[in-house]
Amino acid sequence: SYELTQPPSVSVSPGQTARITCSGNAFPKQYAYWYQQKPGQAPVLVIYKDTERPSGIPERFSGSSSGTTVTLTISGVQAEDEADYYCQSADSSGTHYVFGAGTKVTVL
Amino acid sequence: EVQLLESGGGLVQRGGSLRLSCAASGFIFRNYAMSWVRQAPGKGLEWVSSLSGSGVSTYYAESVKGRVTISRDNSKNTLYLQMNSLRADDTAVYYCAKISAAAGIDYWGQGTLVTVSS
């Protein structure tokens, strides 16, 4: 089975850069997707296909990939970026999805 | 505007059954695969099941295989999840989600809470 490993938490001061890694043997064969979830709300897609940003998502959110690790970078972090972030991919067939355990981003 | 509205959640006894529904609007429903994703209280996201736009192809997580059935009615723009033999660890908020071939899970509903009592 596929597993995705994320750090449980990341702390960052406003205006600094937050980097959240996600490692797993699904990569690089399968794409990575990133979701932001604020308390009491549904997840929101912030990055798809490793590096693509949906319309309406601020440019400070970016994604990258290197081998079996993908990274979500938030440049110039703002207080409103405090949330849980989940990476997601799929098995080799692309039909069974897997999520990382999530990373809580705290803005100091 | 894409909207996904789940319903059917509630309190059910262990071993019982429940059917969740998701009413979709704002896109051509039959053209898109759909998924259910759940989140236990205070925990992370867990993919539960997906099915193709036609409803022919279905996929299940091992944790629910044999106990849940995903289906859709494209004439009613509605997605379903029939859950049987419910267990305490099925307690979660269940999200309906739209899958885009280009962008993955691009829209989520607000979720419906299922609580399984022992």
Side-chain angles (χ1 to χ4, degrees):
Chain A
S1 65
Y2 288 82
E3 291 185 1
L4 301 178
T5 301
Q6 299 180 235
S9 62
V10 168
S11 297
V12 59
S13 299
Q16 299 303 303
T17 297
R19 293 182 179 86
I20 306 166
T21 58
C22 175
S23 300
N25 55 10
F27 309 126
K29 296 181 295 297
Q30 296 291 341
Y31 285 119
Y33 302 81
W34 290 93
Y35 304 91
Q36 176 195 68
Q37 187 181 35
K38 296 181 179 180
Q41 298 184 18
V44 172
L45 177 69
V46 295
I47 293 290
Y48 65 96
K49 289 189 174 180
D50 293 348
T51 61
E52 301 299 311
R53 191 174 53 249
S55 61
I57 300 301
E59 291 184 7
R60 63 181 181 273
F61 289 89
S62 64
S64 61
S65 174
S66 178
T68 59
T69 298
V70 296
T71 302
L72 173 69
T73 300
I74 312 173
S75 304
V77 167
Q78 299 182 7
E80 66 197 50
D81 299 331
E82 187 163 284
D84 293 325
Y85 291 83
Y86 295 90
C87 62
Q88 177 255 312
S89 191
D91 67 356
S92 56
S93 68
T95 59
H96 290 63
Y97 294 172
V98 60
F99 287 91
T103 298
K104 182 174 181 60
V105 170
T106 300
V107 181
L108 301 171
Chain B
E1 179 192 5
V2 171
Q3 291 194 341
L4 301 170
L5 184 60
E6 303 94 337
S7 60
L11 179 63
V12 61
Q13 287 192 330
R14 185 178 57 188
S17 298
L18 212 56
R19 187 175 85 155
L20 306 183
S21 298
C22 171
S25 61
F27 63 102
I28 303 174
F29 184 67
R30 64 180 181 273
N31 286 354
Y32 292 91
M34 299 291 293
S35 265
W36 289 98
V37 177
R38 69 184 180 183
Q39 186 170 36
K43 303 297 184 182
L45 301 172
E46 179 189 14
W47 171 74
V48 174
S49 181
S50 298
L51 86 167
S52 60
S54 66
V56 170
S57 300
T58 58
Y59 311 98
Y60 298 96
E62 285 300 317
S63 58
V64 301
K65 204 169 187 179
R67 300 188 299 118
V68 309
T69 302
I70 191 171
S71 62
R72 64 193 296 160
D73 185 336
N74 285 344
S75 68
K76 296 181 178 179
N77 288 355
T78 302
L79 176 72
Y80 302 100
L81 187 70
Q82 176 68 44
M83 301 189 296
N84 302 322
S85 303
L86 283 163
R87 313 185 305 217
D89 62 0
D90 293 318
T91 293
V93 172
Y94 284 74
Y95 293 103
C96 166
K98 170 181 171 287
I99 301 173
S100 164
I105 302 175
D106 57 353
Y107 288 95
W108 301 67
Q110 284 305 303
T112 186
L113 176 62
V114 172
T115 303
V116 182
S117 68
S118 53

